[in-house]
Amino acid sequence: MRIEEGVKLDFKDVLIRPKRSTLASRKDVDISREFTFKWSARRFKGVPIIAANMDGVGTFAMAEAFEKNKNGLTVALHKHYPIKDLLGFFKKNGGKSVWYSIGITDDDQKKLKEFLKSDVQKSGKGIEKLCIDVANGYSEQFVDFVKKIRDLDSGLTIMAGNVVTGEMVEELILCGADVVKVGIGPGSVCTTRKMTGVGYPQLSAIIECADAAHGLGGLICADGGCTVPGDLAKAYGGGADFVMLGGMLAGHDQAEQKIVKEGGTKYVQFYGMSSKDAMTKHKGGVAEYRASEGKSVKISYRGDVAGALQDILGGLRSACTYVGARRLKELSKRTTFIRVTQQINTVFGNE
Ligand code: 5GP
C-alpha cells in the first residue's frame, strides 16, 4: 500500500485569478479552436464542447440543435440507436457534427463494420469521428481494441477513454487515439466513487493528462463534473482541449424522452448509462456479476437547449475577457488558479 501526499484538486477547489487585459468586450473573444488530429489528420474547427453519449443528451435532436447553433459544437451519439436510424441520420446530416460511439462488445464492432461498409460511408457522408467509450480505460483489452480500430481505418478520428492518469493517456495515444477522454467518477449521475472507492479529482486529472497528451501531439477531452459554465472555463484553463457535458445539457426538448407532468411542474428522468434504469432499458436488466454504477434522477424540464448553450458560451467568453485571452486557445496560458475554501455564495440557495 502507498499513499500519495500531493493535494489533488476539483473544480470547486479553485478560482481563476483575473488579469489585466486590453479586451474591450466579450464580443472580441473567439471561443472556437482549430485542431488537426494526430492520427486521422482531419481538421476540426468549432467550439470544443461535446454532448455526452448518454440517453437524453447524445441524441439526433441534440445534434440538429447544435447544427442550428452554428458554433461547431458536436454530439457524441449514444450507443443505442439502431443501425438503420444511424444510417438515416448520417445520410441526411453527414458526420461533421457527431461522434459515433461504441463500446468494445462484439455487437458494437459488428454494427460499426456494417456502417463502414455501407453506401452512406462510401458517399462521404458517413462516420468521421469515433468515440470508443468504456467505464474503465485501464484494461489491456481496451488498448488492443483501440489499436484494432486504428488499423481498421486510418482516416477515422478516434477519441478513447476513460482514464485519469498521464501514463495511460500516453499509451492510448501511442496506440492510435487522437483524443483521450479523461474522467473517472466525477459525473452528475455517476456512482463509481461510491461503489468502488476509485477515482481522481477532475481538475488535477485534466492538468496531468493534458500535459501528457500534448507532449505527444495528442488531445484530451475533459469528461464529467462540470456543473456551471465556470467549470468549463476551469477545464480549458487546466489544459482541456474538448469538454464533454452530460448533466448540464440534460432535461431539454432535445432529450427525446418523455416529459412527465406532476402537480403542474414538468420533469424529465435523467440517468447514468450504467444505472439500473439504463441497463433495464437497453440490456433487459442488471447482469448478476455487476452492480449499477450510475443513478437516476428526476430533473426539472428546461425547455430548448438553445438557452443553456447561450449561458455556457456566454460564460466562457466572459471568462476569457477576465484573463485577457482573445482566443480560447490562450486561456490555459493566461490561467492562474488560486486555491479557495469557498467559491459560491449560497445564501439564497445553490442556483
Ligand atoms: P456530467 O457532465 O453529467 O457530470 O458527466 C457526464 C459523464 O458521466 C459522461 O460523459 C460519462 O463519462 C459519465 N457517465 C455517464 N453515465 C454514467 C454512469 O452510469 N456511471 C458512471 N460511472 N459514469 C457515467
Side-chain angles (χ1 to χ4, degrees), residues 2-14 164-166 193 199-209 339:
R2 268 190 49 189
I3 299 180
E4 272 188 39
E5 297 285 355
V7 176
K8 304 290 177 186
L9 303 168
D10 254 310
F11 297 130
K12 67 167 183 19
D13 301 319
V14 301
V164 285
T165 49
R193 293 179 183 176
Y200 210 97
Q202 183 67 354
L203 181 62
S204 287
I206 292 168
I207 294 168
E208 293 167 27
C209 291
R339 284 194 49 203

Side-chain angles (χ1 to χ4, degrees), residues 17-219:
R17 194 179 204 275
K19 293 215 165 105
R20 288 176 62 187
S21 145
T22 54
L23 289 169
S25 152
R26 64 188 71 172
K27 282 205 304 285
D28 299 338
V29 173
D30 176 8
I31 54 167
S32 65
R33 296 276 324 250
E34 278 181 59
F35 302 117
T36 302
F37 296 111
K38 176 182 171 85
W39 294 105
S40 72
R42 285 181 187 268
R43 290 175 64 74
F44 170 89
K45 181 168 177 8
V47 175
I49 294 175
I50 305 175
N53 50 324
M54 301 172 71
D55 288 3
V57 179
T59 63
F60 291 151
M62 191 66 79
E64 275 161 11
F66 279 15
E67 194 72 56
K68 230 165 61 202
N69 178 271
K70 292 200 181 349
N71 279 293
L73 309 163
T74 55
V75 172
L77 295 170
H78 69 68
K79 295 171 190 165
H80 302 289
Y81 283 118
I83 179 124
K84 190 167 106 321
D85 297 4
L86 285 162
L87 288 168
F89 174 87
F90 276 82
K91 190 170 174 196
K92 177 163 167 251
N93 301 284
K96 272 247 144 6
S97 64
V98 292
W99 301 75
Y100 178 108
S101 308
I102 52 168
I104 60 173
T105 65
D106 290 345
D107 283 352
D108 287 337
Q109 272 185 80
K110 237 170 70 194
K111 192 160 120 185
L112 174 67
K113 282 189 182 153
E114 199 179 326
F115 196 121
L116 293 178
K117 279 195 222 124
S118 70
D119 291 341
V120 176
Q121 190 70 21
K122 285 178 199 139
S123 76
K125 291 189 91 178
I127 302 169
E128 299 178 12
K129 296 185 280 296
L130 199 64
C131 167
I132 310 176
D133 179 44
V134 295
N136 171 10
Y138 284 78
S139 77
E140 210 164 283
Q141 197 193 0
F142 175 63
V143 174
D144 291 343
F145 188 85
V146 173
K147 264 191 224 149
K148 193 160 125 190
I149 301 293
R150 172 53 69 215
D151 292 343
L152 183 74
D153 191 331
S154 60
L156 285 176
T157 300
I158 297 178
M159 173 160 68
N162 282 18
V163 299
V164 285
T165 49
E167 88 287 358
M168 209 57 205
V169 169
E170 286 164 0
E171 168 134 21
L172 288 169
I173 289 173
L174 294 174
C175 288
D178 297 285
V179 186
V180 175
K181 205 145 68 73
V182 173
I184 293 187
S188 58
V189 282
C190 163
T191 56
T192 294
R193 293 179 183 176
K194 205 161 132 186
M195 294 303 291
T196 67
V198 176
Y200 210 97
Q202 183 67 354
L203 181 62
S204 287
I206 292 168
I207 294 168
E208 293 167 27
C209 291
D211 189 48
H214 297 162
L216 292 174
L219 303 172

Side-chain angles (χ1 to χ4, degrees), residues 52-54 162 181 186-192 223-226 244-248 270-275 293-295:
N53 50 324
M54 301 172 71
N162 282 18
K181 205 145 68 73
S188 58
V189 282
C190 163
T191 56
T192 294
D223 176 21
C226 288
M244 182 172 268
L245 299 177
M248 284 183 71
F270 178 53
Y271 48 86
M273 294 315 288
S274 38
S275 66
E293 281 179 26
K295 62 184 168 190

